Amino acid sequence: MVLGKRSDYGDAKYAGVQVPFSDDIPKTVESYGLCGFDFVVAPLVRESWRPPAPAVLDNGALPSPLERSDCLYINSSQWANQVVGAVSDWIQPDAANPALRQRSVTALKTQLGWAAHLGLQAVVMPPPHAPGRCPNYAGVLNQALQSLTHMALWLTVPLVIPTPTPAHGADSGAAVSAVAGAGGLDGWEAWHQVRAQCDHHNLLGAALLVGPTLPSPASLKRWAGEPVKALLLPTAVFSANKRGYPVLPKAHQELVAAFFRLGVQVVITGEACHAVPPPAAAAAAAPGAKQVTPAPAAAAAVGPGGEPLGFTVTDPGESHPLRPYWEYLCFLFRRLEVVCEQERQEASYRDYLQVPLQPLQDNLESQTYETFEKDTQKYTLYEEAVFRALKDRQAAEAAAAGPRDPFDPANATDAPAASAASTSGRPVVLMVVGAGRGPLVRASMRAAARAGARLRVYAVEKNPNAVVHIQHMLRTEGWSDCVTLVSADMRHWQAPEPADILVSELLGSFGDNELSPECLDGAQRFLAPGGISIPQSYTSFLAPVTTHKLHHDVKAYKDLEHFETPYVVRLHRHYLLAPTQPLFTFVHPNTDAPIDNSRYDSLVFSRDPADGAAVLHGFAGYFECALYKDVLLSIHPPSHSVNMFSWFPIFFPLREPVYVPAGGEVGVQVWRCCAPHKVWYEWALSAPVAGPIHNVNGRSYWVGL
């Protein structure tokens, strides 16, 4: 039974439960399913099972190390999707005792082989017994991963690992970290060593074991970019409220909610340890409830505070001792904040790689234009920018004309009103370069109506198919007399008159990555002296990022070219290692002589040691644009334009993931290179280690002029 169906969070979220070893797994699945859980985490073998001692085999015999009574048995694939296997906790492939070490390796291989044979979707692995020093454990996992095609391995990772006592070997190899607080080791460090030795394999994920003590909130954010598959939530972490229901501390509630937002499942572990009144009694004791005896077969489900959860419970499931824990997860999931309209629009694009558009080389399809035009907030900002530019021109021309003579008949109140466009009476000449299907023309005309200004508009568009849409718009709106349609490339067209205002929509996800500087530098010849360009300037921003999902998707292409290509992507499962920093800025009109749009900069990102170590997969890029004065259009997180979704961030991948120690700096060098027929980026890591320059000479990716 799902925790709750909410369209604003996409797919319904599910919860699992850890169960003891079972001889009849279908019956176990059914029993816990009635309780509400969607899958079980079941041991692959009995706790007492050990692999048989090595023996000399006769006549080619290959006896199985498992007996039917000792192992998890499923004879139908219909149950495999509802069962996650669990490897025995006693296994220690890195034990100091050679006999235990060898037996552990054999047992681990046997259990993983059996789970793969059953076709299970995933297997929960025990945490390393020697965090930070587990080469044999990582070696066996790596060997298993090479032969797996779909079964995932979930490595149990305690968020905080208790510091080992000297009697158990204090020199564990794991770093004592301020992240975990006094007396603890950073679980992320133990996780990273294993996954690094497994070459960041995509089938290896983390199952985070939540304890009573949590690491610092800043360090917890690192897991947003990691392949976290489940939260293991022991019943012992819960406390009882005044009604006897199990509840989580505030910090734990926020942790569970954060992972719900990322689509991570929760697994309840351990036995019930809270005495909860039966559902009928709880419903009767709820505030405002009538004191009547409900039907014994059904009762309203209530949350930890007695509030109704909106569904009924029926025997035998609701009498299960773990039912209150499942209901509490429902309560946490259902009270998540409502997702805004922008998030809804972007949900299907989350963590999906897209190569940036090449609008100069390619003519966009109508559907692409239509998608962009749905972003009404963007055109509202453009309208406001044009409106303010028109008002400023009116004010400037009125000031230049001097005070009006009240005795002049031309200024009489009953005389025909002079044009609001200018004191000379001529319309304001506004050129839209790269008009597409005409949304900027519409925004400009709305702005003129608000300002009481007359416009003479030139709509310049090189895509002959988009021109047809503009023709239809002009006929429908009756603008043919004031809007001149120009089917031409702005770089080659000769304007019949200078423009007072030049409007364009040529920005990319990194500001300049769709050649806005080159296009507007060429088009600024249209501007009259003192003319206004909208946009006036834009700045790109960069930040180091952890994003296992995107790095794996790039790696799956198995070539250099894709690691040297920047991608437009709606970042979702990601973590910024440091705040963004500005990179390149372009201003229009460009008064440089000669004009050179090549750029170079080197950035250094400092990190707080309390944030913990992290892994670097690449860099996330954003832009911030001043359309006109303080009218800002931005996808930069600190200043993101509300409900605007036309642009997603850009991702510059690194060929290999890089470990960044706690407090370590991240340095990057970025070039914007220009040639007669193309523009491209090159980037290289300079800290914590120096890395190769990516995309040298634009060998893998460029934007054609």
Side-chain angles (χ1 to χ4, degrees):
M1 186 185 300
V2 297
L3 295 177
K5 290 183 179 294
R6 292 185 52 169
S7 59
D8 54 343
Y9 278 92
D11 294 337
K13 304 301 181 291
Y14 301 93
V17 60
Q18 190 176 54
V19 301
F21 178 81
S22 174
D23 285 319
D24 190 347
I25 198 65
K27 184 176 180 180
T28 300
V29 170
E30 182 179 2
S31 171
Y32 283 91
L34 289 172
C35 180
F37 295 101
D38 301 281
F39 64 95
V40 299
V41 178
L44 291 166
V45 297
R46 290 186 184 275
E47 186 176 354
S48 60
W49 176 87
R50 297 294 185 273
V56 178
L57 304 178
D58 296 330
N59 197 27
L62 294 173
S64 172
L66 297 171
E67 296 289 341
R68 164 65 184 89
S69 59
D70 290 328
C71 61
L72 174 73
Y73 184 74
I74 302 175
N75 62 358
S76 174
S77 60
Q78 74 178 84
W79 300 103
N81 292 335
Q82 296 173 273
V83 178
V84 173
V87 170
S88 301
D89 287 335
W90 64 265
I91 292 177
Q92 300 183 42
D94 294 282
N97 184 305
L100 176 58
R101 181 170 63 244
Q102 183 58 43
R103 176 169 284 195
S104 296
V105 169
T106 302
L108 182 54
K109 291 181 177 179
T110 300
Q111 294 187 32
L112 289 178
W114 178 242
H117 170 76
L118 294 177
L120 301 184
Q121 297 298 305
V123 171
V124 176
M125 312 299 301
H129 282 74
R133 185 178 294 172
C134 48
N136 288 327
Y137 195 8
V140 176
L141 295 183
N142 206 9
Q143 292 171 8
L145 288 166
Q146 304 312 308
S147 60
L148 295 176
T149 56
H150 74 279
M151 187 179 78
L153 304 184
W154 298 355
L155 180 67
T156 300
V157 182
L159 287 174
V160 176
I161 303 173
T163 305
T165 61
H168 292 85
D171 184 19
S172 68
V176 178
S177 170
V179 168
L185 305 175
D186 184 7
W188 185 93
E189 295 275 9
W191 152 252
H192 177 69
Q193 190 201 48
V194 175
R195 67 90 171 268
Q197 291 187 309
C198 293
D199 195 24
H200 301 257
H201 201 286
N202 192 51
L203 289 178
L204 179 64
L208 301 183
L209 179 58
V210 181
T213 302
L214 296 179
S216 64
S219 68
L220 282 173
K221 294 179 180 178
R222 295 174 297 175
W223 293 105
E226 300 286 0
V228 178
K229 303 302 181 182
L231 283 186
L232 304 181
L233 200 58
T235 54
V237 172
F238 290 78
S239 59
N241 67 5
K242 61 183 180 181
R243 295 171 54 83
Y245 280 86
V247 295
L248 289 173
K250 178 76 170 178
H252 289 68
Q253 293 180 37
E254 293 174 353
L255 175 70
V256 172
F259 280 102
F260 272 154
R261 296 184 190 100
L262 296 175
V264 175
Q265 302 173 116
V266 176
V267 177
I268 298 294
T269 68
E271 297 181 354
C273 50
H274 296 83
V276 178
K290 295 182 179 179
Q291 301 301 311
V292 296
T293 303
V302 294
E307 66 282 1
L309 290 178
F311 59 92
T312 59
V313 291
T314 56
D315 276 325
E318 82 280 1
S319 61
H320 196 287
L322 291 178
R323 176 72 178 209
Y325 300 91
W326 178 84
E327 290 182 353
Y328 185 72
L329 295 180
C330 292
F331 165 73
L332 292 181
F333 177 65
R334 291 165 184 244
R335 76 170 187 177
L336 292 176
E337 67 278 4
V338 176
V339 173
C340 67
E341 180 61 26
Q342 177 185 342
E343 290 288 335
R344 290 172 182 262
Q345 294 282 347
E346 298 174 354
S348 61
Y349 295 97
R350 289 174 177 170
D351 292 334
Y352 177 74
L353 297 173
Q354 303 176 74
V355 177
L357 297 173
Q358 298 229 21
L360 282 187
Q361 280 193 328
D362 306 324
N363 287 329
L364 303 182
E365 296 179 352
S366 182
Q367 184 177 0
T368 304
Y369 286 119
E370 183 178 357
T371 300
F372 292 149
E373 290 167 11
K374 290 178 180 178
D375 191 348
T376 57
Q377 178 64 15
K378 173 179 61 176
Y379 297 109
T380 298
L381 292 171
Y382 266 98
E383 177 186 335
E384 182 65 20
V386 174
F387 169 75
R388 295 194 188 185
L390 290 172
K391 296 299 289 184
D392 285 352
R393 283 187 56 84
Q394 292 172 352
E397 292 189 355
R404 295 171 50 159
D405 184 355
F407 298 103
D408 188 338
N411 295 328
T413 56
D414 57 348
S419 168
S422 66
T423 55
S424 62
R426 71 170 181 83
V428 173
V429 178
L430 183 145
M431 294 183 183
V432 178
V433 290
R437 302 199 313 177
L440 287 184
V441 175
R442 291 183 183 274
S444 299
M445 296 299 286
R446 289 196 301 266
R450 289 172 55 197
R454 257 190 325 128
L455 290 185
R456 183 158 59 243
V457 178
Y458 292 88
V460 185
E461 174 54 48
K462 74 175 183 63
N463 185 346
N465 299 311
V467 165
V468 176
H469 293 276
I470 301 179
Q471 291 172 343
H472 175 75
M473 177 188 69
L474 298 185
R475 292 172 185 170
T476 302
E477 300 292 343
W479 290 340
S480 298
D481 292 340
C482 57
V483 178
T484 300
L485 177 57
V486 179
S487 181
D489 190 322
M490 73 180 80
R491 294 171 294 176
H492 310 303
W493 177 60
Q494 298 300 319
E497 60 180 324
D500 300 305
I501 301 176
L502 185 68
V503 183
S504 67
E505 185 186 357
L506 304 171
L507 299 169
S509 292
F510 206 41
D512 59 272
N513 64 298
E514 292 185 10
L515 303 184
S516 180
E518 284 72 22
C519 292
L520 292 184
D521 288 347
Q524 71 183 23
R525 69 185 188 277
F526 305 148
L527 275 176
I532 297 170
S533 173
I534 298 176
Q536 291 185 317
S537 67
Y538 37 91
T539 299
S540 54
F541 292 81
L542 211 61
V545 66
T546 297
T547 170
H548 170 87
K549 168 69 165 60
L550 295 184
H551 196 271
H552 169 264
D553 289 351
V554 177
K555 183 180 179 180
Y557 287 103
K558 299 181 179 180
D559 60 26
L560 176 65
E561 176 183 343
H562 286 83
F563 273 117
E564 296 189 334
T565 299
Y567 297 92
V568 173
V569 59
R570 171 60 175 90
L571 296 172
H572 183 55
R573 295 287 295 264
H574 77 290
Y575 163 66
L576 296 185
L577 281 70
T580 58
Q581 292 188 25
L583 188 64
F584 303 144
T585 296
F586 295 87
V587 178
H588 301 289
N590 188 347
T591 58
D592 293 346
I595 291 177
D596 181 7
N597 287 319
S598 61
R599 296 285 193 276
Y600 165 76
D601 204 352
S602 177
L603 303 178
V604 176
F605 300 88
S606 299
R607 303 188 66 244
D608 188 337
D611 293 346
V615 66
L616 175 67
H617 290 117
F619 293 87
Y622 311 87
F623 78 88
E624 193 174 86
C625 170
L627 290 176
Y628 182 71
K629 294 186 176 180
D630 62 345
V631 181
L632 194 69
L633 183 150
S634 172
I635 66 166
H636 185 214
S639 59
H640 198 294
S641 300
V642 178
N643 290 331
M644 189 182 71
F645 53 84
S646 283
W647 295 275
F648 296 151
I650 198 166
F651 172 58
F652 293 88
L654 294 175
R655 296 186 203 171
E656 298 292 339
V658 176
Y659 173 81
V660 181
E665 293 183 336
V666 176
V668 65
Q669 299 159 335
V670 185
W671 294 261
R672 187 183 195 269
C673 306
C674 302
H677 300 293
K678 66 178 183 179
V679 174
W680 70 96
Y681 298 101
E682 298 179 9
W683 62 97
L685 191 67
S686 58
V689 294
I693 298 177
H694 292 59
N695 198 33
V696 177
N697 289 328
R699 63 189 173 193
S700 297
Y701 174 79
W702 70 92
V703 187
L705 285 168

